[in-house]
Amino acid sequence: MSDTLKVKPGRGDALIIVDVQNDFLPGGSLGVPDGDAVVPVMNRYLEEFRETGLPIYATRDWHPEGHCSFEAQGGPWPPHCVAESKGAMFARDLDLNEEVTIISKATTVETDAYSGFEGTDLTDRLRKQNVKRIFVGGLATDYCVLNTVKDGLKAGFQVLLLDDGIRGVDVNPGDSDKAKDEMHRLGAKSITLENLASAHA
Ligand SMILES: [Zn+2]
């Protein structure tokens, strides 16, 4: 989208903040490079949605000990986001409050979920609220953001990818760019705060 195009969140829109949890921040057990940079940006989007009274969701990895995605169990990742642990808490500076609906995912030993839609009631909740378009940002671009966006599109929602509010792992260099290309190809559009028509403008 061009810088001049303005997007104003309104009825039918919802914000989805993906996995902005301590373990995915630099210093966490599965830290995303520069991952903390999404916090102030997502706070700006949060402010817009809060002021207009629109639905806000925050997804989180919420794994039991010995989760199948952990290396000791043959999975690809070090232990991370064990339910109730400090690493699983949302970033301290992320401006969440009780208006935010928390969606916990991959909560059993035998199932993993990169997407906030997988194994959760997120689709039902959004449909009940007559949501048509979702604004998606968070961590990480090439895993949980990618899969949340793909499932959102599959479920029939329009998707705006919050380009300045995402960061990637890039296990292989270029993974994040590839993920973005894929999301765009499937129909997601990228915006940044520049595109957001302020609720108080
Ligand atoms: Zn996980």
Side-chain angles (χ1 to χ4, degrees):
M1 282 191 189
S2 79
D3 284 348
T4 51
L5 186 78
K6 292 295 181 192
V7 175
K8 191 171 169 52
R11 195 178 302 180
D13 289 335
L15 177 64
I16 300 179
I17 303 161
V18 177
D19 295 16
V20 182
Q21 295 169 269
N22 289 328
D23 273 342
F24 296 132
L25 301 181
S29 68
L30 192 37
V32 178
D34 202 30
D36 47 345
V38 308
V39 174
V41 177
M42 292 313 293
N43 281 343
R44 288 278 313 281
Y45 289 109
L46 267 162
E47 195 188 331
E48 291 286 337
F49 275 73
R50 188 169 285 143
E51 284 184 1
T52 34
L54 297 169
I56 302 168
Y57 289 88
T59 70
R60 63 183 181 185
D61 253 7
W62 201 247
H63 301 320
E65 304 267 4
H67 186 248
C68 64
S69 74
F70 299 170
E71 281 157 351
Q73 279 69 40
W77 307 115
H80 62 278
C81 298
V82 172
E84 309 295 347
S85 70
K86 185 158 182 282
M89 301 296 132
F90 290 114
R92 193 193 53 199
D93 294 332
L94 188 66
D95 191 16
L96 300 177
N97 62 14
E98 60 285 344
E99 297 150 38
V100 175
T101 304
I102 294 170
I103 301 287
S104 301
K105 61 187 171 70
T107 59
T108 60
V109 172
E110 68 277 7
T111 52
D112 200 11
Y114 290 148
S115 159
F117 290 95
E118 199 177 333
T120 72
D121 60 357
L122 183 56
T123 307
D124 287 345
R125 285 174 176 273
L126 292 171
R127 287 194 178 137
K128 264 185 210 135
Q129 291 174 306
N130 290 312
V131 170
K132 306 281 184 249
R133 184 170 67 168
I134 54 176
F135 292 55
V136 182
L139 303 170
T141 310
D142 35 354
Y143 292 93
C144 294
V145 170
L146 170 65
N147 286 281
T148 300
V149 164
K150 284 169 77 171
D151 279 353
L153 290 165
K154 228 181 278 172
F157 300 105
Q158 293 172 52
V159 178
L160 293 179
L161 179 66
L162 307 177
D163 249 15
D164 44 358
I166 57 176
R167 291 294 185 282
V169 183
D170 285 321
V171 170
N172 308 297
D175 277 355
S176 294
D177 287 339
K178 251 187 263 171
K180 274 201 229 177
D181 286 347
E182 185 177 359
M183 291 186 269
H184 293 154
R185 202 171 57 240
L186 293 170
K189 304 253 187 296
S190 279
I191 64 164
T192 67
L193 285 169
E194 302 276 296
N195 297 106
L196 206 61
S198 170
H200 19 202

